[in-house]
């Protein structure tokens, strides 16, 4: 097979499993929320851009690795099976390549902006919004879904639900491997007899599986985190790509800025919540002035009514 044919097979596989993922995740909630500190919220509102942090610097130390390990275990289990289609897997996944870390392959860095379906949630306030002195920005999920690989979107992003249940993850990767082997098995025996370099041929097919799987690694997390009910904006950044700038510094986490401005060059911002620690009339007035100045006149500002016993302060950007 030529490189072009391999690329075509990869795109077909990716499209097939992408449809399976969206069928599993179902419709998004009408609104999702990004919890952050007050200063960051003002910068997001003014710029229309949301930070996406590189996966290796997210709070979850098992980020990406957990999903890669899940797929690796599935491949090992299938190697011990008697399925006829798994004969192809034994050839394409020989002992010499089983040490390869699937999560480290490719030329794509994964960046993630975290959202949640949880409105006015105490744990989110405490963990992600400056110890309950921050802000939660509500976004229209339908608009974010339309940005998912849309040609007119300023930033290339996927809007996806995170899967926490191991059985869901296993089922998905089983589907992926089955469809991959369906591509491979009918042609591999004939091709191996004629290709000039069997090792390169095998590596190309395995690369198709790894490349497709890598797009789904950021969508899976350990069950420990399921209370977060996370949805994500995921950006796959090609190394040396001129399309967006990666910011690296010793102070800030490595990130890219996702431009969420679509409608009239504004974000699909639907609501703003003030945390329990800044829930007062003056904070509401300050946020209202910022929103009006940036063209979000119809976006409501709501103060949390969670009766948290902390000092009440005035919002400061």
């Amino acid at each position: 097979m030529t490189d072009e044919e391999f690329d075509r097979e990869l795109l077909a596989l990716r499209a097939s499993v992408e449809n399976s993922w969206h069928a599993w995740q179902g419709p998004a909630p009408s609104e999702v929320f990004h919890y952050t500190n007050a200063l960051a919220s003002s910068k997001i509102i003014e710029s229309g851009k949301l930070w996406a942090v590189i996966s290796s610097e997210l709070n979850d130390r098992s980020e990406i690795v957990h999903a890669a390990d899940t797929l690796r275990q599935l491949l090992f289990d299938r190697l011990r099976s008697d399925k006829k289609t798994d004969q192809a897997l034994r050839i394409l996944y020989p002992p010499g390549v089983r040490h390869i870390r699937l999560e480290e392959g490719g030329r794509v860095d994964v960046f993630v902006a975290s959202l949640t379906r949880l409105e006015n949630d105490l744990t989110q306030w405490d963990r992600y919004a400056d110890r309950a002195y921050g802000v939660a920005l509500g976004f229209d999920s339908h608009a974010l879904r339309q940005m998912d690989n849309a040609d007119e979107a300023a930033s290339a992003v996927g809007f996806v639900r995170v899967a926490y249940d191991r059985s869901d993850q296993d089922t998905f990767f089983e589907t992926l491997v089955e469809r991959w082997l369906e591509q491979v098995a009918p042609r591999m025996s004939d091709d191996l007899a004629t290709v000039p370099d069997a090792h390169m041929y095998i590596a190309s097919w395995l690369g198709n599986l790894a490349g497709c799987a890598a797009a789904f690694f950021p969508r899976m997390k350990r069950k420990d985190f399921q209370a977060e009910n996370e949805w994500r904006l995921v950006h796959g950044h090609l190394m040396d790509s001129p399309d967006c700038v990666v910011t690296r510094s010793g102070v800030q986490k490595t990130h890219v800025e996702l431009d969420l401005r679509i409608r009239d060059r504004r974000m699909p911002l639907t609501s703003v919540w003030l945390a329990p620690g800044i829930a007062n009339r003056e904070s509401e007035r300050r946020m209202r002035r910022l929103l009006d100045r940036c063209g979000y006149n119809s976006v409501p500002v709501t103060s949390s009514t969670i009766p948290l016993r902390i000092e009440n302060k005035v919002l400061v950007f």
Side-chain angles (χ1 to χ4, degrees):
M1 292 179 68
T2 65
D3 289 344
E4 182 179 344
E5 288 173 315
F6 271 114
D7 289 342
R8 187 164 58 246
E9 296 283 3
L10 174 58
L11 290 173
L13 179 63
R14 172 70 189 276
S16 174
V17 294
E18 189 72 57
N19 289 336
S20 295
W21 184 273
H22 284 292
W24 166 82
Q25 74 177 20
S30 59
E31 192 175 18
V32 288
F33 302 88
H34 178 69
Y35 288 75
T36 187
N37 62 61
L39 179 59
S41 73
S42 67
K43 291 181 177 180
I44 294 168
I45 292 168
E46 290 172 338
S47 68
K49 297 178 181 179
L50 186 65
W51 278 19
V53 175
I54 195 167
S55 59
S56 59
E57 297 179 22
L58 293 170
N59 293 344
D60 177 5
R61 288 188 291 109
S62 68
E63 191 75 44
I64 306 297
V65 177
H66 167 72
D69 286 345
T70 300
L71 174 58
R72 189 179 295 108
Q73 185 60 53
L74 185 148
L75 293 174
F76 286 157
D77 291 344
R78 291 193 63 137
L79 287 171
R80 294 191 288 268
S81 78
D82 295 323
K83 286 185 178 181
K84 185 176 180 180
T85 54
D86 287 341
Q87 296 299 322
L89 178 61
R90 293 184 183 93
I91 295 172
L92 294 173
Y93 199 54
V97 302
R98 292 175 199 167
H99 68 283
I100 295 174
R101 294 178 61 82
L102 298 171
E103 65 272 23
E104 294 178 355
R107 298 175 54 250
V108 178
D109 286 329
V110 176
F111 292 81
V112 172
S114 295
L115 306 157
T116 177
R117 67 182 302 151
L118 301 175
E119 177 182 271
N120 190 28
D121 181 73
L122 182 56
T123 300
Q124 294 281 329
W125 284 129
D126 183 62
R127 183 172 295 174
Y128 301 114
D130 196 18
R131 298 291 183 180
Y133 287 99
V135 174
L137 303 176
F139 293 96
D140 180 345
S141 294
H142 178 68
L144 294 180
R145 180 69 183 90
Q146 288 183 317
M147 286 184 64
D148 192 333
N149 298 316
D151 293 336
E152 68 274 14
S155 296
V157 296
F159 177 55
V160 294
R161 175 186 168 193
V162 173
Y164 301 98
D165 191 279
R166 181 61 182 263
S167 64
D168 288 336
Q169 297 166 5
D170 286 339
T171 298
F172 177 78
F173 278 138
E174 186 71 39
T175 300
L176 169 60
V177 172
E178 284 284 354
R179 292 181 183 174
W180 175 65
L181 289 172
E182 286 171 5
Q183 288 184 344
V184 178
R187 60 174 60 90
M188 190 182 68
S189 57
D190 292 337
D191 286 351
L192 275 175
T194 59
V195 294
D197 189 334
H199 293 294
M200 286 298 295
Y201 177 83
I202 291 172
S204 295
W205 271 118
L206 184 60
N208 269 15
L209 174 65
C212 185
F216 298 91
F217 288 165
R219 311 180 190 193
M220 301 181 186
K221 297 186 69 172
R222 288 168 55 100
K223 203 166 187 176
D224 311 68
F225 295 89
Q226 70 176 0
E228 295 188 342
N229 283 274
E230 188 175 0
W231 286 72
R232 289 181 157 183
L233 291 172
V234 179
H235 171 71
H237 183 80
L238 285 170
M239 298 177 188
D240 304 320
S241 171
D243 295 336
C244 66
V245 177
V246 176
T247 301
R248 294 181 172 89
S249 75
V251 179
Q252 301 169 338
K253 291 183 177 181
T254 303
H255 66 276
V256 297
E257 292 185 338
L258 302 180
D259 193 337
L260 303 187
R261 296 171 295 180
I262 299 180
R263 302 173 182 169
D264 301 321
R265 300 301 295 162
R266 294 186 182 89
M267 300 181 296
L269 190 65
T270 49
S271 67
V272 173
W273 283 80
L274 303 182
I278 53 171
N280 53 68
R281 291 292 180 84
E282 180 57 29
S283 294
E284 291 176 9
R285 281 194 287 268
R286 293 186 181 191
M287 178 56 75
R288 180 76 271 153
R289 285 198 296 269
L290 173 64
L291 290 169
D292 291 347
R293 176 166 58 83
C294 295
Y296 298 101
N297 310 72
S298 62
V299 173
V301 179
T302 305
S303 289
S304 172
T305 57
I306 296 175
L308 192 61
R309 195 184 298 277
I310 58 175
E311 180 185 359
N312 195 262
K313 300 178 181 179
V314 173
L315 174 66
V316 176
F317 297 126

